[in-house]
Amino acid sequence: MAEGCMRGLRYGMVFFNLLFWLGGCGILGVGVWLSVTQGNFATLSSSLPSLSAANLLIAVGTIIMVIGCLGCVGAVKESRPLLLSFFILLLLIFFLEILSIVLFFVYQDQIDHYAQRDLKRGLQLFGTEGNVGLTNAWMIVQTDFRCCGVTNHTDWFEVYNTSRVPDSCCPEYSDNCGLENPGTWWTAPCYERVKDWLQENLVALWIFALCTALTQILGLVFSMTMFCQAIKVETFYA
């Protein structure tokens, strides 16, 4: 009976971690593709230049793959050390995610202030050598969200030292349109536009967060149940 239960847990754990590992492979693949094709795409921060979409996806994908592989091998070999390591790592990540969410809501105003200040500093690097990723990111954000600057289109005046904005602030893109016809420029702040977009997609974000949490909880339950069952089987045959 105990052996049959253990076999069922092992198959369930292997299947769960295989899906977990494949998900990590997919995320890692997207990150590598972005890194190769887009360079440092979506690097808007001047103080954290390595925090690009590509690098973030590569890091997350690698962590998921390692944890999934650890759990899968632990389930196949019925290794208590590996199962316990998988449980501890997943529990640690779960607590860090909860802590991050709590800190975000507690210090939301401070985070807003710091983010806007950091993004404004990043504007000074726009179009400069070695900052292709930041330049491309701002052009894409302003074009897609129909906005200009961090808090106002005049943020760019300090960058150019004149009444000028990037050409991506124009409704109809053309060379030097950011120097001419100021009445046609986007004037909406990009920071607020992105925040509004996140608010509009809040339900989808919460569903994704809940699905992620549920997956992690299932992984914790599977691994700890199998760990305890392994102890019972070993004690039974001792």
Side-chain angles (χ1 to χ4, degrees), residues 124-135:
Q124 301 295 330
L125 302 176
F126 183 86
T128 58
E129 187 177 355
N131 291 289
V132 177
L134 183 143
T135 302

Side-chain angles (χ1 to χ4, degrees), residues 7-139:
R7 188 181 297 112
L9 283 172
R10 182 170 67 247
Y11 290 152
M13 186 74 174
V14 169
F15 179 72
F16 171 82
N17 281 284
L18 183 61
L19 291 178
F20 204 63
W21 184 80
L22 288 173
C25 287
I27 295 172
L28 177 62
V30 173
V32 172
W33 175 78
L34 268 181
S35 180
V36 171
T37 59
Q38 302 292 337
N40 293 323
F41 173 73
T43 306
L44 294 175
S45 174
S46 59
S47 59
L48 295 171
S50 297
L51 190 61
S52 65
N55 291 342
L56 189 61
L57 288 173
I58 289 173
V60 171
T62 302
I63 292 171
I64 291 175
M65 283 180 63
V66 170
I67 294 176
C69 185
L70 189 68
C72 197
V73 174
V76 171
K77 293 185 174 293
E78 297 180 12
S79 171
R80 285 186 295 167
L82 290 178
L83 288 170
L84 187 60
S85 298
F86 173 83
F87 178 84
I88 291 172
L89 283 173
L90 202 56
L91 185 64
L92 180 62
I93 291 173
F94 186 70
F95 280 145
L96 286 175
E97 289 170 348
I98 293 175
L99 180 62
S100 299
I101 292 172
V102 171
L103 289 176
F104 174 78
F105 283 108
V106 171
Y107 296 103
Q108 189 169 4
D109 291 338
Q110 292 91 323
I111 292 172
D112 272 345
H113 177 72
Y114 173 79
Q116 291 181 44
R117 186 180 62 185
D118 187 59
L119 289 170
K120 284 184 178 180
R121 282 203 301 263
L123 295 183
Q124 301 295 330
L125 302 176
F126 183 86
T128 58
E129 187 177 355
N131 291 289
V132 177
L134 183 143
T135 302
N136 289 341
W138 268 113
M139 290 177 68

